[in-house]
Amino acid sequence: MKHVPVITAAEAAALVQSGQTLLVGGFGMTGNPVHLVHALADTDVRDLTYVANNVGEAGLSGGRLLRNGQLRKAIGSFFTSNREAVAAAQEGRLEVQLIPQGSLAEALRAGGAGIGGFYTPTAAGTVIAGDADVRVLNGREMVFVPALRGDVAFVRAWRADEAGNLQYRLTEQNFNRAMATAADLVVAEVEEIVPVGTIPPEGVHTPGLYVDYLVQATLTADALGSSADVKGSAKKVDEARMHMARRALAELRRGDVVNLGIGIPTLVADLITPEHGVNLHTENGMLGVGPAPEQGGALDYPVNAGKIPVTALPGASYFDSADSFGMIRGGHVDVAVMGGLQVDAQANLANWAVPGKPLLGVGGAMDLASGARRLIVLMTHTDPDGTPKVVPECTLPLTSRGAVSMVITDRAVFEFRGGTLTLTELMPGATLDEVRAGTGAPFVEAL
């Protein structure tokens, strides 16, 4: 049986050389190998290419490397959660490559499996596709995404045995599992190291053949950033938003697998009861999401895609980000409820970027919009200045094309019937004249 050396975080950091590509596991600070990254921040290593879902939080994990000027490039899906990363990109101090979250996870899995890349419908027809090879496969336009590998991977697991077998806790699998396969040298930071045989074979998530070194490090709330306590999260709640959330809930059916995006859609989760029979999915690796706990954080509970601690309902399951997005792209999610910036008359959605701001935060929106069987968009009817958000043609960067099934605003409900934008309902307190005046796209009235 293989015996994996146990080293210190400082010794692990010494394995990384300037100019290398570093894979860092975690979703936000959940499952993040923060002790390894902070040890690296104490070295003189520079010009790193940092591959992760995001660059940690300000001053935490990758955020500390960024603050030190140790990063040359970052490859990931959502950098806007770290204001210092946004500033560095705007000022030209950090090169950024943005990849949809599901494509990032699959690119890492492909890299670890010796596959050169793959074609995906995610990002087809959007600026994210860039100059990638595009082909029509099985009647769908698909974009080629090359595999991703690194020189070194830092991952975080709950337990390891002396042979390097890893077991993850709750939603801490996220990007860790794929990254542990996709680097030439892998260091696993773990809460505890146990004798071989302590972890049953069916409990091993990452076999020890992938792991080169182990570092024992105890996680504390200080390392969890915004996920340290559920009380640190904040939702914008008003009656108009709650009307929208209630109307969206009315569209969900018993047995539906449902993914709720950030923003207004998160309010739907607070309305769902066990009697609804809805199975909530979160793209960072959980099915069977329950309500937020009254107190506690990521040391005690799983975390959802909004990085908010949640509970697990009976029958819940955990998996990694690559499997999660396989569920999404494979059409196994019945409904996605997402926020929006614009929806147009062709059922196109724009919800991730606005003019004048860096394109730094696509997350899983493109995967969900193109992969869910039904897409419901919740958004205010107009911008604060009265500019319509239901428009003839999207002028903002697209998230997906022709995918929207229903739009619920604070004034109206629209459906796409036979490909035609159709007004089917007025929201409480709204008038038909207000809807006509505040809607930029032509629509059919079917009240």
Side-chain angles (χ1 to χ4, degrees):
M1 180 67 70
K2 175 183 178 181
H3 184 85
V4 175
V6 179
I7 61 176
T8 67
E11 289 171 330
L15 299 171
V16 182
Q17 300 175 23
S18 294
Q20 288 190 322
T21 295
L22 176 68
L23 311 183
V24 178
F27 184 85
M29 298 306 299
T30 302
N32 194 295
V34 63
H35 298 88
L36 294 179
V37 181
H38 285 180
L40 185 59
D42 290 334
T43 71
D44 294 328
V45 170
R46 292 290 185 271
D47 296 322
L48 294 172
T49 295
Y50 186 91
V51 182
N53 185 56
N54 60 315
V55 188
E57 297 184 10
L60 278 178
S61 191
R64 188 168 296 186
L65 297 176
L66 175 69
R67 188 175 285 179
N68 289 350
Q70 293 172 275
L71 304 184
R72 178 185 63 83
K73 181 178 181 179
I75 300 174
S77 81
F78 199 79
F79 301 116
T80 52
S81 57
N82 186 337
R83 63 185 182 278
E84 294 180 5
V86 174
Q90 288 176 314
E91 295 164 9
R93 293 183 284 110
L94 179 69
E95 181 184 349
V96 168
Q97 181 181 345
L98 191 63
I99 303 177
Q101 192 176 130
S103 297
L104 175 64
E106 194 66 23
L108 290 161
R109 179 156 67 177
I115 297 171
F118 57 94
Y119 285 90
T120 174
T122 302
T126 75
V127 296
I128 289 290
D131 58 359
D133 182 39
V134 178
R135 300 188 182 186
V136 177
L137 302 173
N138 299 321
R140 297 189 71 182
E141 191 173 280
M142 297 201 180
V143 176
F144 182 75
V145 178
L148 266 174
R149 283 191 62 87
D151 297 297
V152 179
F154 284 171
V155 300
R156 169 85 192 181
W158 173 42
R159 292 200 298 179
D161 66 20
E162 293 165 340
N165 294 311
L166 303 182
Q167 186 176 39
Y168 303 99
R169 176 185 171 276
L170 307 177
T171 48
E172 293 175 359
Q173 293 186 47
N174 48 64
F175 283 90
N176 282 302
R177 269 181 54 192
M179 287 182 171
T181 72
D184 299 332
L185 187 148
V186 176
V187 183
E189 171 188 311
V190 298
E191 193 73 15
E192 62 174 333
I193 301 170
V194 298
V196 171
T198 304
I199 303 174
E202 66 272 19
V204 173
H205 297 128
T206 295
L209 68 89
Y210 294 110
V211 179
D212 297 293
Y213 296 97
L214 295 173
V215 172
Q216 191 280 323
T218 301
L219 198 64
T220 65
D222 291 340
L224 293 172
S226 60
S227 298
D229 196 302
V230 69
K231 294 178 181 178
S233 62
K235 293 182 181 179
K236 186 176 181 180
V237 180
D238 56 38
E239 194 56 30
R241 284 175 166 77
M242 291 308 302
H243 281 315
M244 295 159 66
R246 294 186 192 102
R247 183 62 186 82
L249 177 62
E251 293 297 313
L252 308 183
R253 301 290 178 258
R254 176 172 293 275
D256 277 350
V257 175
V258 178
N259 187 290
L260 302 175
I262 61 175
I264 300 173
T266 61
L267 300 176
V268 179
D270 297 332
L271 303 174
I272 294 174
T273 67
E275 288 69 32
H276 287 103
V278 172
N279 202 358
L280 290 183
H281 171 277
T282 180
E283 58 260 38
N284 59 309
M286 182 179 179
L287 188 62
V289 179
E294 292 185 5
Q295 60 183 9
L299 285 176
D300 311 295
Y301 297 98
V303 170
N304 68 11
K307 304 178 182 67
I308 297 171
V310 293
T311 55
L313 298 180
S317 57
Y318 302 109
F319 32 87
D320 77 335
S321 293
D323 282 346
S324 185
F325 281 96
M327 296 173 187
I328 294 166
R329 286 190 306 273
H332 306 291
V333 173
D334 296 294
V335 184
V337 184
M338 304 177 68
L341 296 173
Q342 288 181 335
V343 173
D344 69 21
Q346 291 74 46
N348 298 324
L349 169 66
N351 78 341
W352 69 280
V354 295
K357 294 187 177 181
L359 306 182
L360 294 175
V362 65
M366 289 184 177
D367 304 272
L368 281 162
S370 63
R373 295 177 182 176
R374 190 170 183 226
L375 176 60
I376 300 173
V377 176
L378 273 58
M379 62 184 186
T380 57
H381 204 88
T382 67
D383 287 326
D385 64 1
T387 302
K389 296 172 77 169
V390 181
V391 295
E393 183 175 352
C394 288
T395 56
L396 299 177
L398 289 184
T399 303
S400 66
R401 297 184 301 179
V404 179
S405 304
M406 173 179 280
V407 181
I408 301 173
T409 76
D410 49 343
R411 298 181 187 174
V413 178
F414 293 95
E415 298 178 42
F416 285 90
R417 296 182 174 178
T420 300
L421 183 66
T422 305
L423 175 66
T424 60
E425 189 176 329
L426 296 176
M427 293 294 279
T431 67
L432 184 56
D433 286 342
E434 286 177 335
V435 172
R436 289 170 175 165
T439 306
F443 59 89
V444 173
E445 297 176 10
L447 298 174

